[in-house]
C-alpha cells in the first residue's frame, strides 16, 4: 500500500547488521546550505547580543524600567545563557551510539521515506530549512537528530520546553545535542521575546543549522493534532517577510508510532493525574519501557513548503519598508491570518502524511463496540473499514499478501495489554490491574485508562473520517434532505468542534465531505438536496458514531465544568447557558445511540476544548468574582 | 554646396554631424541660418522633398534604425571568431577583444553558429500610412515650420530603447508610429505648435534624444487623434553663458555631449554625465529626473537647474528670476522635473556650470566579496568623501568587464596582468568567484585629488580592499558606454537583455541585490529558459541615506517561442521583488508606461491624485497624450 506514495527504508536493518560504535564514529560530512556563514555556537551569542534588534530593545526596556542599559544587557546575556544550545558533534556521536542500542530494543523497525530524505538534501542546500515534526512522544526530537545524523544532513537546533532543562545532566546532554530551551510562557516580557526571536533568526539567517520546532507546541496527549501555535512560525518567516532571506523551506515531518511509549501515562494525565516532572531519576525508572515491544515507527519527511510561495499574493512585503527592520513590529492583521492559515495547512500536511497501522482501525471498531466483538466479525469489519479509509485517502500501512485475520491477530498481540481475548471474543479491558480489592471508582478509573489509551489510536485516523463524519451527523440531525439544512448543521458542528480538530477556517470542508461520500456511493448531492443511497446506511452510521464520544463529552462537559469551575483558582464562574446551543447538542446526542458509556468525557483535554468552544461561541462567559 | 551641406546637417536629429561644422559657425550666425532654411522649405515644395530625403539618408548613415548608437560602431565576431568593435569613435574601436567570445559562450550557453540576425532594412510598406490632421499640417506649414511624414522619420521617433521596442524593429515589426514629425527651432516655434495642436486637437509627443527605456515614446494604442512627434533636436544652442553667476542658458534640445563639448571650449562644464549622454538631450533629462555619473560633485539634474521654461497648453510656465533657491510654495520645477512629456515641452533651461576640473584620475579597488564592498561604500558615504563617481560591481559584472579587455600589445603587460592576478587570488587569497571591484573617478585640482584618493583607499583598506589600478577603473566606466552596443551583439546570437535600476536604503542594499538576482534566476528557470541567465548588479551611486543599484539581466532565448514576453514577465517579477525589498520604482530611468501600474502604490492614491489634478489643469485636452506616468 505504502509503495503508492514512497519507498520506505528501515534504518534499523543496517544497525542490526553492523557495528554501532563504528556508526557513531563514522565520518560525518553533512550537505550544507550554500549561503552558510560559518560561525561557532559561542559566536552566535555575541552576534545576538550585539544585534541592532536586541540593542534597540535593551535601550527601550532600560528607559521604561529605569534600569541601566548595562543591567538590562546583563539580563539579556543571562537569558541567552539559559536558552542557548551548544551543539557538539561528540554528544551527537554519543547519542548515535546509545540510541542505536535503545531503538533496536524498542522498535521492530524505524521506517523513513527515502525520497523525503533526498528532497530534504536538496532543500537544505538551497535555503535555510525549518523542520516541523509532529509531536506525540519525547522520542520525536531524539529520533529526528538521529535520522539527520544517519543521512548526513545538517543537525538541527531544536526549540525545547524549559521543563527538560531541570533534568540534571540530561538537560545538558540535550543542550549539547542541539536543544535550546524556551520558557513556556513569557507573554509580556519584551526582553525575553527579543532575545529569543533574535537568537532563532540569527541561526536561520546565517544558515547555522536547520531550526526544528513543534507547531503544536507540546506533545499531543490524545494523538490528535493540536491547534497549531503561530509565534515561532512568525519568527522563522519574518526574515523572509523583511527580505533578509530569499526564502525559507518549511519541512513538515510526520512521526507515527505503532505503539506509543507514553501511552498509559498520557491516559492517566488526561484523567487528572499530573504529569510526572521531568527528572533524570524518573527517566532511569522508566527503563522498564525498554523491555517492551513497541512495534514499528514511521517518519515521513514531507515536501518542503516554500514560505515565499505560501506568502505569494497574501503578504505585502512592502509593509516592512517604512520602519527600520531591527525595530520589532507586531504582525499585522493580514500577517496574523496568513500565519494561522499556514500553520493549519502545515498541520494538515503532517496529518495526511502520518502512516497508520491496522491497529488504528481495530481500535476504532473496539471503541464503538464496548461489549466486544467476535474475532471473525472484527476481522470482517476491519477489512470493510480498511477499504473505507483507503477510499478517503488514508496513508495506511497494510501488510501485503496477508490475510485480514492474520493482520488483526498480529495487531491484537502487540496491544494485548489493552484487551482481553477469550473464546474468540475481543473486548477492551483492564488487564494488568493488581488483584487487590478495588473500589468502584478505581475500577472506573482503570477502565477509563484503557478506553483513553485506545482512543489515542483511534484519534490517529480521525482526520481521515472527520469531514464525512461531520456530514453524516449533520444529515442525521437535519431531519430533512435539504442541502441548506444539512449545510447549516455541518457548519454548526464545525464551529463547535474547531478547538477539538484541525478545521481550518477558510477550508471548504463541506464540499470535501460531499465529494468523498459521493465518490464512495454513499450520497447523491443534487442541486438542493442531499440524498442517501440505499447502500449508504452502514457507512453513515459508522461515521456518525466515530464522533459520538466527542458529542457526548461536550454535552457532559457543562455539568462537570460547573463543579470544576467553582473550585478553580482562576475564579471563573459559569453563569448561563445559551439554551439553544445546549439543546442543539442534546438533539445530536439523542440521535446518537446513547448506549456508549462516556469514558472519554472524562478526558481533561476534551473538557478543556469544550469549555474553550463554549466560550468562543459565547454560550458561557467568564466572570470575575 | 557648402550651404546645402550645412542645411542638411542642422536639420539632422543626430548630434554628431554637427561636430565639426558647428565649430566653424559662430553661435550668432546659426539662428539666421536655420531661419533661411525654414524659409526655403516652405517656399519650394520640391526642394523640401529632396531635403527630407537627404535628411533621412543622413540619419541612417549616422545612427542605427534598429539598434543602439552610431551605425559605424558595433560589436561583431570576425571570421576568426574573435570579437571586435568597429568604427573610430571609442577607445575600444578597432580593437580585438580576445576573451569576449569565451565569456559570451560560457555565460549564456550561446554559440556563434546559432545566429539570429536582424532584418537588414526597414520595410517601408510595413509602416501604416499617416493619419493626418490636414488643417493642422497646413497651419504648421503656413507658420513656416519644418514638417515631415516620411515613414523613416516617423519610425525613428516611434520608439525608445526598451528590449521589446528594439526586438520588434529587428524583426521588422512596426506598430503605431507618429503621423507627423515637426522640428521647432526655438521656444516661439514650440509655442506656435502647441497652440495649433490645441486648436486642432492633435496629440503631441515631445522627442529629445530617443534614449528612453520606459516605453515613454511608444504611441498609446488607444490614441485616435493624429499623433505628432515634436522633435527638439533643432533647439540646440547655448543662448548665453553668465560667468559671474556660473550659469548657462541653453535650449532644451541640445544633446549631452554637444553641450559638454561646447562648454568645455569656453572652459566650463555642467558635469552632468548620464550614461546616455552621447545621445540624450537636456530636455529629456529634465523630463525624467536624470542622474549623472558624477552627481557626487555636480548633483543630479534637479540640483543643476536654476530655471526652466516649459510650454504647456495653458501657456508658458517659468519662474520670474534666477534666484538660487526660493521659498515660494511648492517648487514648480518639481512639477516639470519628471513629468515625462505629459504636461508640455521644456524649451529652455538655465543650468549651473563649473570650471573644467584641472585633473581627473580613475582608480579601482578589489574587494574579497560584495558584502565588504558595500560596507566600504557605506562608510565612504557616511564620511561624505565619495569621489566624483564610485561604483561597485558584483563578481559577475567584474568578469563581464574583464571579458572586454582588449588584446594586450606586449608580453610585458600580459606578464604584469598575470602577476596582478596571482597576487590577488593566491597571495591575498581572494576567491575569483567572489571578489568584486569598485571603480572610482576623482576630479578637481591635482593636490586635492591625490589627497582625496588616499582617504578613499585608506577606508577601502579597512574593508579588505586592494587598490587595483587606473586601468581597471577606466574599463569599468567604458562598460557603461558600450553595454547597449553589446546588447545588439547579443541579439545577433539569441541573447536578449536589458538593464533596470532602483534606489534603496543602505541597510537593505545587500538583501535587495541578492533577492532580486535570485528572483531573476528562479523566474527564468520556471518559465523554461534553457540556460541560466546573466543576472548581475552594481551599486552605482551613493547617497547619505542609501544607494542606487543597477541591474543587468540577459539570457539565451533559444527554444522559446515568445522570448520578449518571457523577458517582460521576468522583469516584472524583478520589479515586484525590488519593491518588496524596500527599493524604489525608479532612481533615474523614470516610469513611462512600463512601470505605470506601480505608481499608485509608490506615491499613494492621494499623491497620484495630486499629479492628476495638475495634469487636468495644465492640459485638459490631453494634448500631451503620450500616456506616461499617470
Amino acid at each position: 500500500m505504502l509503495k503508492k506514495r514512497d519507498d520506505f527504508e528501515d534504518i534499523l536493518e543496517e544497525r542490526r547488521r553492523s557495528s554501532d560504535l563504528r556508526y557513531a564514529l563514522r565520518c560525518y560530512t553533512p550537505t550544507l546550505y550554500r549561503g552558510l556563514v560559518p560561525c561557532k555556537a559561542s559566536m552566535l551569542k555575541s552576534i545576538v547580543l550585539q544585534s541592532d534588534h536586541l540593542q534597540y530593545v535593551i535601550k527601550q526596556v532600560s528607559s521604561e524600567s529605569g534600569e541601566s542599559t548595562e543591567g538590562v544587557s546583563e539580563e539579556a546575556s543571562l537569558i541567552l545563557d539559559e536558552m542557548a544550545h551548544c551543539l557538539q558533534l561528540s554528544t551527537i556521536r554519543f547519542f548515535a551510539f546509545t540510541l542505536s542500542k535503545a531503538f533496536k530494543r524498542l522498535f521492530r523497525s524505524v521506517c523513513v521515506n527515502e525520497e523525503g530524505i533526498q528532497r530534504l538534501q536538496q532543500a537544505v542546500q538551497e535555503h535555510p530549512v525549518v523542520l516541523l515534526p509532529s509531536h506525540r512522544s519525547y522520542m520525536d526530537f531524539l529520533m529526528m537528530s538521529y535520522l539527520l545524523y544517519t543521512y548526513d544532513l545538517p543537525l538541527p537546533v531544536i526549540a525545547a520546553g524549559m521543563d527538560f532543562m531541570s533534568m540534571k545532566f540530561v538537560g545538558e546532554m540535550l543542550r549539547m545535542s542541539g536543544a535550546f530551551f524556551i520558557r513556556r510562557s513569557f507573554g509580556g516580557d519584551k526582553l525575553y521575546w527579543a532575545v529569543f526571536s533574535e537568537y532563532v533568526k540569527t541561526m536561520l539567517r546565517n544558515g547555522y543549522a536547520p531550526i526544528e520546532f513543534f507547531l503544536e507546541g507540546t506533545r499531543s496527549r490524545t494523538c490528535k493534532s493540536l491547534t497549531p501555535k503561530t509565534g515561532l512560525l512568525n519568527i522563522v518567516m519574518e526574515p523572509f517577510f523583511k527580505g533578509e532571506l530569499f526564502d525559507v523551506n518549511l519541512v513538515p515531518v510526520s512521526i507515527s508510532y505503532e505503539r506509543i511509549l507514553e501511552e498509559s501515562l498520557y491516559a492517566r494525565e488526561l484523567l487528572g493525574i499530573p504529569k510526572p516532572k521531568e527528572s533524570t531519576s524518573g527517566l532511569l525508572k522508566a527503563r522498564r519501557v525498554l523491555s517492551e515491544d513497541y512495534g514499528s515507527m514511521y517518519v515521513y519527511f514531507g515536501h518542503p513548503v516554500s514560505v515565499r510561495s505560501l506568502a505569494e499574493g497574501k503578504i505585502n512585503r512592502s509593509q516592512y519598508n517604512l520602519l527600520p527592520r531591527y525595530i520589532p513590529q507586531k504582525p499585522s492583521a493580514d500577517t496574523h491570518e496568513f500565519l494561522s492559515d499556514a500553520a493549519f495547512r502545515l498541520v494538515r500536511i503532517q496529518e495526511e502524511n502520518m502512516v497508520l497501522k491496522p491497529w488504528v482501525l481495530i481500535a476504532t471498531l473496539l471503541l464503538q463496540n464496548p461489549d466486544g466483538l467476535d474475532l471473525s466479525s472484527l476481522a470482517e469489519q476491519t477489512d470493510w473499514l480498511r477499504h473505507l479509509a483507503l477510499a478517503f485517502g488514508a496513508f495506511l500501512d497494510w501488510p501485503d499478501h496477508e490475510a485480514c485475520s492474520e493482520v488483526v491477530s498480529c495487531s491484537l498481540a502487540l496491544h494485548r495489554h489493552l484487551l482481553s481475548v477469550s473464546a474468540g471474543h475481543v473486548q477492551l479491558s483492564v488487564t494488568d490491574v493488581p488483584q487487590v480489592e478495588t473500589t468502584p471508582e478505581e475500577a472506573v478509573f482503570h477502565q477509563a485508562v484503557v478506553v483513553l489509551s485506545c482512543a489515542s489510536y483511534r484519534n490517529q485516523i480521525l482526520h481521515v473520517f472527520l469531514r464525512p463524519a461531520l456530514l453524516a451527523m449533520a444529515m442525521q440531525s437535519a431531519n430533512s434532505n435539504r442541502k441548506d439544512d444539512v449545510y447549516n448543521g455541518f457548519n454548526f458542528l464545525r464551529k463547535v468542534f474547531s478547538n477539538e480538530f484541525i478545521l481550518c477556517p477558510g477550508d471548504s470542508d463541506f464540499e470535501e465531505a460531499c465529494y468523498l461520500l459521493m465518490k464512495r456511493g454513499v450520497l447523491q448531492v443534487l442541486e438542493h438536496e442531499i440524498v442517501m443511497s440505499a447502500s449508504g446506511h452502514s457507512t453513515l452510521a459508522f461515521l456518525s458514531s466515530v464522533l459520538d464520544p466527542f458529542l457526548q463529552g461536550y454535552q457532559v462537559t457543562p455539568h462537570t465544568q460547573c463543579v470544576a469551575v467553582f473550585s478553580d483558582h482562576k475564579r471563573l464562574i459559569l453563569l448561563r447557558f445559551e439554551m439553544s446551543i445546549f439543546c442543539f447538542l442534546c438533539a445530536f446526542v439523542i440521535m446518537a445511540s446513547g448506549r456508549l458509556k462516556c469514558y472519554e468525557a472524562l478526558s481533561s483535554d476534551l473538557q478543556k476544548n469544550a469549555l474553550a468552544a463554549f466560550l468562543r461561541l459565547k454560550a458561557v462567559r467568564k466572570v470575575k468574582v | 554646396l557648402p550651404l546645402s551641406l550645412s542645411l542638411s546637417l542642422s536639420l539632422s536629429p543626430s548630434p554628431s554631424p554637427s561636430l565639426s561644422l558647428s565649430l566653424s559657425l559662430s553661435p550668432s550666425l546659426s539662428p539666421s541660418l536655420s531661419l533661411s532654411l525654414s524659409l526655403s522649405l516652405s517656399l519650394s515644395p520640391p526642394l523640401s522633398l529632396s531635403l527630407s530625403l537627404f535628411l533621412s539618408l543622413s540619419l541612417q548613415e549616422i545612427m542605427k534604425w534598429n539598434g543602439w548608437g552610431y551605425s559605424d560602431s558595433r560589436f561583431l565576431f570576425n571570421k576568426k571568431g574573435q570579437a571586435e568593435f568597429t568604427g573610430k569613435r571609442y577607445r575600444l574601436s578597432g580593437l580585438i577583444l580576445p576573451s569576449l567570445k569565451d565569456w559570451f559562450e560560457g555565460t549564456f550557453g550561446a554559440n556563434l553558429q546559432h545566429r539570429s540576425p536582424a532584418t537588414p532594412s526597414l520595410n517601408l510598406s510595413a509602416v501604416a500610412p499617416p493619419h493626418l490632421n490636414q488643417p493642422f499640417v497646413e497651419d504648421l506649414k503656413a507658420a513656416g515650420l519644418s514638417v515631415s511624414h516620411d515613414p523613416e522619420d516617423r519610425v525613428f521617433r516611434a520608439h525608445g530603447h526598451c528590449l521589446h521596442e528594439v526586438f520588434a524593429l529587428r524583426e521588422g515589426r512596426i506598430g503605431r508610429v507618429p503621423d507627423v514629425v515637426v522640428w521647432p527651432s526655438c521656444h516661439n516655434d514650440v509655442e506656435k505648435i502647441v497652440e495649433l495642436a490645441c486648436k486642432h486637437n492633435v496629440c503631441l509627443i515631445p522627442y529629445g534624444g530617443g534614449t528612453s527605456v520606459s516605453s515613454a515614446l511608444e504611441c498609446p494604442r488607444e490614441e485616435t487623434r493624429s499623433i505628432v512627434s515634436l522633435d527638439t533636436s533643432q533647439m540646440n544652442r547655448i543662448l548665453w553663458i553668465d560667468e559671474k553667476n556660473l550659469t548657462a542658458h541653453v535650449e532644451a534640445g541640445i544633446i549631452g555631449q554637444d553641450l559638454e563639448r561646447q562648454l568645455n571650449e569656453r572652459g566650463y562644464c555642467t558635469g552632468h554625465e548620464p550614461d546616455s549622454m552621447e545621445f540624450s538631450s537636456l530636455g529629456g533629462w529634465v523630463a525624467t529626473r536624470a542622474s549623472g555619473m558624477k552627481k557626487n560633485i555636480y548633483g543630479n539634474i534637479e540640483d543643476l537647474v536654476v530655471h526652466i521654461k516649459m510650454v504647456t497648453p495653458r501657456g508658458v510656465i517659468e519662474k520670474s528670476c534666477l534666484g538660487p533657491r526660493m521659498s515660494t510654495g511648492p517648487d514648480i520645477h518639481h512639477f516639470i522635473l519628471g513629468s515625462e512629456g505629459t504636461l508640455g515641452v521644456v524649451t529652455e533651461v538655465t543650468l549651473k556650470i563649473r570650471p573644467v576640473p584641472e585633473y581627473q584620475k580613475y582608480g579601482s579597488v578589489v574587494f574579497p566579496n560584495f558584502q565588504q564592498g558595500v560596507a566600504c561604500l557605506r562608510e565612504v558615504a557616511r564620511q561624505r568623501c565619495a569621489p566624483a563617481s564610485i561604483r561597485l560591481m558584483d563578481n559577475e559584472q567584474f568578469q563581464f568587464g574583464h571579458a572586454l579587455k582588449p588584446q594586450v600589445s606586449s608580453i610585458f603587460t600580459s606578464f604584469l596582468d598575470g602577476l596582478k592576478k596571482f597576487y590577488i587570488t593566491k597571495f591575498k587569497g581572494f576567491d575569483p568567484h567572489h571578489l568584486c571591484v569598485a571603480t572610482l573617478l576623482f576630479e578637481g585640482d591635482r593636490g586635492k585629488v591625490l589627497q582625496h584618493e588616499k582617504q578613499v583607499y585608506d577606508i577601502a583598506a579597512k574593508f579588505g580592499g586592494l587598490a587595483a589600478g587606473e586601468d581597471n577603473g577606466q574599463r569599468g566606466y567604458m562598460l557603461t558606454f558600450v553595454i547597449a552596443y553589446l546588447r545588439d551583439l547579443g541579439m545577433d546570437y539569441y541573447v536578449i537583455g536589458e538593464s533596470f535600476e532602483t534606489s534603496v536604503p543602505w541597510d537593505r542594499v545587500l538583501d535587495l541585490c541578492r533577492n532580486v538576482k535570485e528572483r531573476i534566476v528562479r523566474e527564468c528557470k520556471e518559465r523554461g529558459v534553457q540556460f541560466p541567465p546573466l543576472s548581475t548588479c552594481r551599486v552605482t551611486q551613493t547617497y547619505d541615506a542609501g544607494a542606487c543599484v543597477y541591474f543587468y539581466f540577459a539570457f539565451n532565448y533559444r527554444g522559446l517561442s515568445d522570448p520578449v514576453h518571457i523577458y517582460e514577465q521576468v522583469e516584472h517579477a524583478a520589479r515586484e521583488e525590488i519593491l518588496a525589498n524596500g527599493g524604489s520604482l525608479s532612481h533615474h530611468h523614470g516610469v513611462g508606461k512600463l512601470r505605470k501600474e506601480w505608481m499608485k502604490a509608490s506615491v499613494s492614491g492621494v499623491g497620484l491624485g495630486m499629479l492628476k489634478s495638475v495634469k487636468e489643469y495644465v492640459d485638459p485636452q490631453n494634448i500631451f497624450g503620450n500616456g506616461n506616468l499617470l
Side-chain angles (χ1 to χ4, degrees), chain B residues 1 30 46 52 62 71 86 106 138 169 199 250 265 366 431 472 583 605 607:
Chain B
L1 187 70
S30 71
S52 91
I62 299 146
S71 302
T86 63
E138 297 299 321
L169 287 175
K199 180 176 159 199
V250 190
E265 283 158 13
V366 183
D431 180 345
N472 273 321

Side-chain angles (χ1 to χ4, degrees), chain B residues 403-428:
Chain B
L404 292 175
K405 230 174 176 175
Q407 206 157 26
V408 285
S409 40
S410 72
I411 300 171
F412 181 68
T413 341
S414 78
F415 171 73
L416 221 59
D417 280 348
L419 209 64
K420 263 191 241 162
K421 194 176 166 192
F422 177 81
Y423 176 72
I424 288 176
T425 58
K426 295 290 181 309
F427 189 74
K428 281 288 175 182

Side-chain angles (χ1 to χ4, degrees), chain B residues 559-627:
Chain B
L560 300 177
S561 60
D562 193 353
V564 173
H565 182 61
I566 288 176
Y567 169 83
E568 285 172 346
Q569 286 178 319
V570 177
E571 192 191 312
H572 189 273
R575 181 57 62 182
E576 296 263 319
E577 192 63 32
I578 286 174
L579 298 174
N581 282 273
S584 64
L585 189 52
S586 172
H587 170 263
H588 60 272
H589 280 177
V591 175
K593 290 181 267 294
L594 197 60
R595 287 175 274 274
K596 240 166 99 163
E597 63 179 289
W598 292 289
M599 258 308 265
K600 190 174 169 190
S602 286
V603 302
S604 79
V606 178
L608 193 65
M610 276 169 114
L611 298 180
K612 277 187 174 152
S613 69
V614 169
K615 164 80 179 171
E616 251 156 55
Y617 171 76
V618 172
D619 184 14
Q621 273 178 278
N622 195 26
I623 296 302
F624 290 92
N626 59 15

Side-chain angles (χ1 to χ4, degrees), chain B residues 361-370 372-377 380 385 387 389-395 397-398 402 420 423-424 428 430 434-442 452-477 539:
Chain B
K361 193 174 182 191
Y362 287 97
S364 65
V365 181
V366 183
F367 291 97
N369 55 45
F370 194 61
Q372 295 278 68
V374 171
C376 172
L377 260 64
V380 166
C385 64
S389 168
I390 177 165
R391 288 174 171 179
L392 179 75
M393 300 192 266
D394 68 359
N395 183 265
Q397 209 163 118
F398 164 72
H402 232 66
K420 263 191 241 162
Y423 176 72
I424 288 176
K428 281 288 175 182
F430 285 19
H434 285 130
L435 64 79
C436 69
V437 64
T439 59
L440 309 165
L441 174 61
F442 297 92
H452 193 178
E453 195 186 13
K454 187 176 176 311
Q455 187 188 5
V456 172
Y457 283 127
D458 284 349
I459 295 174
K462 283 185 197 146
F463 295 90
L466 296 173
E470 287 182 66
D471 206 40
N472 273 321
Q474 203 166 2
R475 202 170 34 250
Y477 289 102
V539 178

Side-chain angles (χ1 to χ4, degrees), chain B residues 458-625:
Chain B
D458 284 349
I459 295 174
K462 283 185 197 146
F463 295 90
L466 296 173
E470 287 182 66
D471 206 40
N472 273 321
Q474 203 166 2
R475 202 170 34 250
Y477 289 102
M478 188 182 64
L479 179 66
T480 61
F481 283 95
V482 299
I483 183 83
Y485 287 107
L486 275 166
R487 180 171 79 174
D488 290 341
L489 175 75
M491 284 205 270
D492 287 339
Y493 295 93
Y494 287 97
V495 172
I496 52 175
E498 187 150 29
S499 59
F500 48 90
E501 36 66 282
T502 187
S503 56
V504 61
W506 277 115
D507 69 318
R508 293 173 191 259
V509 169
L510 276 178
D511 289 330
L512 181 132
C513 291
R514 182 199 55 237
N515 289 353
V516 172
K517 288 200 284 183
E518 176 139 6
R519 179 79 181 261
I520 290 171
V521 172
R522 193 187 225 206
E523 294 282 337
C524 280
K525 199 170 160 191
E526 278 171 14
R527 291 171 204 287
V529 176
Q530 308 283 316
F531 307 90
L534 172 72
S535 169
T536 154
C537 72
R538 65 167 185 262
V539 178
T540 200
Q541 286 290 7
T542 63
Y543 291 88
D544 287 347
C548 167
V549 182
Y550 207 93
F551 293 91
Y552 289 140
F553 155 47
F555 63 88
N556 181 339
Y557 69 84
R558 269 173 66 81
L560 300 177
S561 60
D562 193 353
V564 173
H565 182 61
I566 288 176
Y567 169 83
E568 285 172 346
Q569 286 178 319
V570 177
E571 192 191 312
H572 189 273
R575 181 57 62 182
E576 296 263 319
E577 192 63 32
I578 286 174
L579 298 174
N581 282 273
S584 64
L585 189 52
S586 172
H587 170 263
H588 60 272
H589 280 177
V591 175
K593 290 181 267 294
L594 197 60
R595 287 175 274 274
K596 240 166 99 163
E597 63 179 289
W598 292 289
M599 258 308 265
K600 190 174 169 190
S602 286
V603 302
S604 79
V606 178
L608 193 65
M610 276 169 114
L611 298 180
K612 277 187 174 152
S613 69
V614 169
K615 164 80 179 171
E616 251 156 55
Y617 171 76
V618 172
D619 184 14
Q621 273 178 278
N622 195 26
I623 296 302
F624 290 92

